């Protein structure tokens, strides 16, 4: 049995993975925890300054350890930060492989400029509305109600939540991704307006053991094409060497 851990992004929750439920193989044990940055309210997380450490705690709680972690959007950046931090400290994370889905990444501080702040902020409600549309369907909720729900969700997340994301994004040039030897599959959506596919491709080039997979679609490939998504995870997991069990004590 292989343990696959699914980490949702900012403003979502474990339900964002629900479309995959009928597509997992019987030899896969899926763990999809609700993370502190879920869409139901972030009162306990809003002042947190080290969310990568929270990801580390989540992974440490997986029985027998994770064989593969699939992290989406904001969580993919936190996982990348954790992998980089541990690699730079000479204590690599005991994790055979990861799938980074629609990550945010820039290689240098100069790649961020003043004019990108406003569109990044204004794009957040649109991304939330797209998530709601894909999870509920076009007919269930009309565009006006969907926009209102997305706005309410943004209000729950608030400035602290959004700034936690943006601060993490701004730190990506500092991540020592060149030291990360974990096998990585970096998935980008060619039509993603939130996390440009070019950033996913760049990140894959910077990681020593990574491959990029740029596919049609937007920011939520697990909702847009669940069968394809689960199959891609299976195929990558099958190409990943099994976890080496720790030696028994003498």
């Amino acid at each position: 049995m292989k343990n696959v851990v699914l980490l949702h992004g900012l403003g979502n929750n474990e339900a964002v993975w629900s479309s995959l439920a009928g597509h997992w193989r019987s030899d896969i044990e899926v763990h999809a925890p609700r993370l502190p940055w879920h869409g139901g309210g972030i009162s306990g997380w809003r002042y947190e300054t080290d969310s990568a450490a929270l990801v580390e705690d989540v992974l440490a709680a997986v029985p027998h350890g994770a064989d593969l972690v699939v992290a989406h959007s904001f969580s993919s950046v936190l996982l990348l930060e954790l992998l980089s931090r541990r690699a730079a400290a000479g204590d690599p994370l005991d994790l055979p492989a990861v799938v980074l889905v629609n990550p945010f990444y820039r290689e240098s501080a100069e790649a961020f400029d003043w004019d990108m702040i406003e569109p990044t902020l204004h794009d957040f409600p649109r991304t939330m509305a797209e998530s709601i549309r894909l999870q509920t369907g076009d007919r269930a909720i009309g565009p006006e109600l969907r926009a209102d729900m997305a706005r309410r969700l943004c209000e729950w997340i608030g400035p602290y939540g959004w700034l936690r994301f943006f601060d993490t994004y701004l730190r990506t040039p500092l991540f020592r991704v060149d030291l990360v030897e974990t096998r990585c599959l970096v998935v980008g959506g060619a039509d993603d307006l939130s996390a440009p596919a070019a950033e996913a491709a760049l990140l894959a080039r910077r990681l020593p053991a990574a491959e990029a997979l740029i596919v049609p679609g937007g920011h939520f490939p697990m909702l847009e094409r669940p069968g394809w998504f689960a199959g891609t995870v299976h195929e990558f997991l099958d190409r990943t060497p099994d976890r080496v069990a720790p030696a028994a004590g003498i």
Side-chain angles (χ1 to χ4, degrees), residues 63-230:
H64 308 298
D67 296 288
L68 177 70
V69 177
V70 181
H72 178 241
S73 193
F74 176 55
S75 285
S76 72
V77 186
L78 296 178
L79 179 58
L80 182 66
E81 181 176 16
L82 176 61
L83 289 167
S84 301
R85 177 187 300 175
R86 291 285 296 266
D91 182 25
L93 196 65
D94 182 20
L95 182 59
V98 301
V99 180
L100 305 175
V101 185
N102 303 79
F104 295 85
Y105 178 77
R106 298 199 181 190
E107 190 173 22
S108 67
E110 290 72 28
F112 294 97
D113 57 59
W114 184 262
D115 290 338
M116 61 85 63
I117 297 176
E118 183 176 7
T120 302
L121 175 61
H122 286 172
D123 185 63
F124 193 62
R126 185 203 61 79
T127 302
M128 293 298 99
E130 181 67 2
S131 172
I132 294 169
R133 184 186 71 80
L134 289 168
Q135 292 185 75
T136 61
D138 289 317
R139 296 182 180 179
I141 299 176
E144 292 185 4
L145 178 56
R146 190 161 55 239
D148 184 63
M149 292 173 64
R151 174 67 184 181
R152 180 65 181 272
L153 184 56
C154 291
E155 290 173 353
W156 282 341
I157 293 167
Y160 279 97
W162 188 84
L163 285 172
R164 294 289 78 76
F165 150 71
F166 197 64
D167 179 62
T168 305
Y169 190 15
L170 289 172
R171 291 200 310 275
T172 54
L174 303 177
F175 297 171
R176 290 300 308 271
V177 297
D178 58 306
L179 301 178
V180 176
E181 297 182 354
T182 303
R183 286 173 51 82
C184 300
L185 175 64
V186 186
V187 179
D191 306 311
D192 190 350
L193 300 178
S194 301
E199 296 188 14
L202 172 62
L203 176 57
R205 291 196 298 270
R206 295 275 287 120
L207 287 162
E211 54 192 271
L213 182 59
I214 308 303
V215 298
H219 195 62
F220 299 94
M222 74 291 282
L223 294 171
E224 295 170 4
R225 293 195 290 162
W228 169 86
F229 189 91

Side-chain angles (χ1 to χ4, degrees), residues 10-11 36-47 156-162 164:
L10 175 61
W37 40 91
H38 66 87
I42 61 166
S43 58
W45 171 72
R46 69 176 73 239
Y47 303 119
W156 282 341
I157 293 167
Y160 279 97
W162 188 84
R164 294 289 78 76

